[in-house]
Amino acid sequence: MEFRKHLLAVALPAVLLAGCGGDSSVEVKPLTVTIAHINDHHSNLDEFSGGITLKLDGADTTAKLGGFARVKSAIDKIAAGKENVLKLHAGDAQVGTLYYTYFKGAADAALMNTVCFDAMAVGNHEFDDGDAQLKSFIDKLHAGACKTPVVSANVTPKVGTPLAPAKTDDYIKPYAIKDFNGEKVGIIGLTIADKTKGSSQPLSTTDIGDEATAAQKAIDALKSQGIKRIVLLSHQGYSQDKSIAAKLTDVDVIIGGDSHTLLGNYSAYGLTAQGEYPAKVKNKDGDTVCIAQAWEYSKAVGELKVEFSSEQKVASCSGVSHLLIDGDFTRKDAAGKTYTVAGAELDTLNATIAKDTQLLKVAPDANAAAVLKTYADQVEGLKAQVIGAASETLCIERVPGSGYSKDSPAGCNAATRAHGSDIGNLVAWAFREFSLKSEIGIQNGGGVRVSIPAGTITMGLAYSVMPFSNTLVELDMTGAEIKQVLEEAVDSAVKTGGSTGSYPYAAGVRWTVDLTKSAGSRLSNLEFKGKTDTAWSALNLTRTYKVVTNSYIADGKDGYLTFKTVKDSGRFLDTYLLYTDTFIEYVKKQGSIKKLPVSEYSTQQFIDASGTLLQ
């Protein structure tokens, strides 16, 4: 109980961890709570280079966007003058930029400790470098005064492993309890199970159980303490959050992550949201559940106001997802020249922004910016090194037609609709180029993280595109095994509870996907073209090909089960070439890169579940 004693000693509201007990005889009163929340910041600590362009007052207007120092300012602004505030992080704090590549969570923890979150859920990417790295990250979160509880009701490490040196909940608690002057709120963590086990690297002894079963068990434990105001801090995706609510009794609020969902109404500004903020559904009891999520990458902070009745049920909820913007605002004049908005035009613009709380004009917090600078200075030199150029924008996508790039850069959703990711295909080509013996390169869509805009390509951009510590692995596979692993990857990408990041991209092999077919029969017209071949021919199911892929999916992650079978049989060689360095060398060799000819894209045709051929 040292953690609880510490909080009481500094006169902060008590956070009671699982097993601390509660007094159900205390009179329960109505309670209003404001929840300030983020999710999926993925080591995006800087403001976004180039900002964001919004349609404001009828004109395209570019503003500064996001960054963790603005997250800190926004949360402080939300909390100012309010009595009962919960500050929550719904997971995937780590992995995605050079700040993780170089500091392995230390920079993220330092910035999160400027906010002092009341709880953080365990995201699937928290396990990308295994249990020991997650332990190190939590140690850093707990090194200062904040001691942010890290919660997940369905993650249970084995005693004697890094996350459970003495007890299963040494590092990850099933829930935390926030005490507002005697009125308590339970915060239960959830981690997406199949995706974490299939797409990250938890120890095989770390149990990640069914989300609904674990959530109800934690709810019941809180109810036994007289606590029925229940918040699920969920890292399992927006659609799963809506569906799990109906399976659970007594749940009131779900603060979500994983799906990077923008909620609200931003259509006037040129952004597409996926629903209202908050969404309202019913739990198993028929009571209201309020569901919220706050986009991604330190771009937004959610503000949810929840009024609980004396029966500890939701009486009402309302709120907004604040897009974090700031000046200097720029526009283009009639001649196409960029200028900074000033004078009366700026006054009008600021008045427009002030009318809509979805647009929050906020400057970076000075203290958080100073903390960030200590890390930023160390990586700036390497990030600035130029390795080549892109002659046109190379768009990211997960599954063709899914709109993963969210129109940033502009036009990417349309450009990738029929054939998927430009950059995903190029990465597969880079693999095959630098694995001299390989005939086919395969890369999972989720291993490529951002689009490449036309212009200079720096080392920093390359590491943002491919931020993981993977190596290239060569596998000897029959054509039948190649078809099987591609079928597995597509199934993992489209099934409920799977990962869109599983979708395959390739060099030297191409196909048609038809989602109206059953799993295992969705790929047809599989064709092969070797490095020196001039024409495509049918993939020979009995012939053996040498395939190069990244070490992550070579271990069977992201649904690529047959890769692991082949590797376990001994038909593999780890080249120890870092996959990011392979892409860097490819760019350097080419000097300038561009989209592949359409004939070389791995997905030649894509028929969606409705039977529509995407074009």
Side-chain angles (χ1 to χ4, degrees), residues 303-325:
E303 178 181 358
L304 181 66
K305 179 182 178 182
V306 185
E307 295 183 354
F308 291 98
S309 69
S310 57
E311 288 77 30
Q312 303 191 69
K313 297 180 180 181
V314 173
S316 68
C317 62
S318 60
V320 63
S321 181
H322 299 285
L323 192 65
L324 308 184
I325 61 173

Side-chain angles (χ1 to χ4, degrees), residues 427-443:
V427 165
W429 271 66
F431 284 4
R432 191 174 70 155
E433 178 78 16
F434 282 89
S435 173
L436 299 180
K437 296 180 180 180
S438 292
E439 302 165 279
I440 293 170
I442 297 177
Q443 165 68 18

Side-chain angles (χ1 to χ4, degrees), residues 228-526:
K228 290 180 63 181
R229 303 183 190 96
I230 305 296
V231 176
L232 289 189
L233 190 55
S234 161
H235 193 87
Q236 61 170 350
Y238 182 57
S239 62
Q240 290 92 327
D241 286 339
K242 288 190 290 184
S243 64
I244 200 174
K247 302 175 183 178
L248 303 175
T249 66
D250 296 291
V251 63
D252 300 300
V253 177
I254 302 178
I255 301 297
D258 183 62
S259 54
H260 298 224
T261 302
L262 178 65
L263 298 177
N265 184 4
Y266 297 88
S267 57
Y269 311 122
L271 296 176
T272 301
Q274 285 73 55
E276 296 182 352
Y277 183 106
K280 297 177 184 178
V281 299
K282 298 294 183 181
N283 64 19
K284 193 173 182 178
D285 305 312
D287 297 323
T288 297
V289 181
C290 306
I291 301 176
Q293 194 172 142
W295 207 10
E296 62 184 3
Y297 302 153
S298 305
K299 296 175 182 176
V301 172
E303 178 181 358
L304 181 66
K305 179 182 178 182
V306 185
E307 295 183 354
F308 291 98
S309 69
S310 57
E311 288 77 30
Q312 303 191 69
K313 297 180 180 181
V314 173
S316 68
C317 62
S318 60
V320 63
S321 181
H322 299 285
L323 192 65
L324 308 184
I325 61 173
D326 196 8
D328 301 320
F329 300 105
T330 62
R331 289 172 171 166
K332 291 184 178 179
D333 60 20
K337 184 178 180 180
T338 300
Y339 68 94
T340 300
V341 180
E345 187 180 11
L346 179 59
D347 292 339
T348 300
L349 175 57
N350 283 331
T352 297
I353 292 170
K355 289 177 184 176
D356 189 347
T357 54
Q358 292 183 123
L359 305 178
L360 183 60
K361 184 182 177 185
V362 62
D365 174 80
N367 177 59
V371 172
L372 177 58
K373 189 176 186 300
T374 64
Y375 295 95
D377 287 348
Q378 298 178 60
V379 301
E380 201 58 40
L382 181 60
K383 287 171 64 176
Q385 292 181 17
V386 175
I387 61 172
S391 61
E392 58 187 328
T393 296
L394 303 169
C395 297
I396 188 178
E397 185 53 280
R398 292 291 185 96
V399 180
S402 66
Y404 179 83
S405 55
K406 300 182 178 68
D407 291 320
S408 179
C412 275
N413 283 348
T416 60
R417 178 173 168 80
H419 306 290
S421 179
D422 302 325
I423 189 63
N425 277 285
L426 269 178
V427 165
W429 271 66
F431 284 4
R432 191 174 70 155
E433 178 78 16
F434 282 89
S435 173
L436 299 180
K437 296 180 180 180
S438 292
E439 302 165 279
I440 293 170
I442 297 177
Q443 165 68 18
N444 57 318
V448 181
R449 306 303 288 186
V450 299
S451 300
I452 294 181
T456 297
I457 301 175
T458 63
M459 186 76 76
L461 178 55
Y463 273 99
S464 294
V465 172
M466 301 168 67
F468 306 109
S469 302
N470 296 320
T471 58
L472 295 192
V473 173
E474 297 172 347
L475 302 161
D476 294 321
M477 302 180 68
T478 66
E481 288 172 327
I482 292 168
K483 181 181 186 302
Q484 183 172 332
V485 80
L486 293 171
E487 292 276 10
E488 291 166 350
V490 170
D491 182 55
S492 179
V494 300
K495 71 179 181 181
T496 301
S499 169
T500 55
S502 301
Y503 193 84
Y505 291 91
V509 64
R510 66 183 188 179
W511 55 76
T512 293
V513 169
D514 186 349
L515 295 187
T516 67
K517 305 293 186 183
S518 60
S521 303
R522 293 184 173 121
L523 271 71
S524 61
N525 301 324
L526 269 85

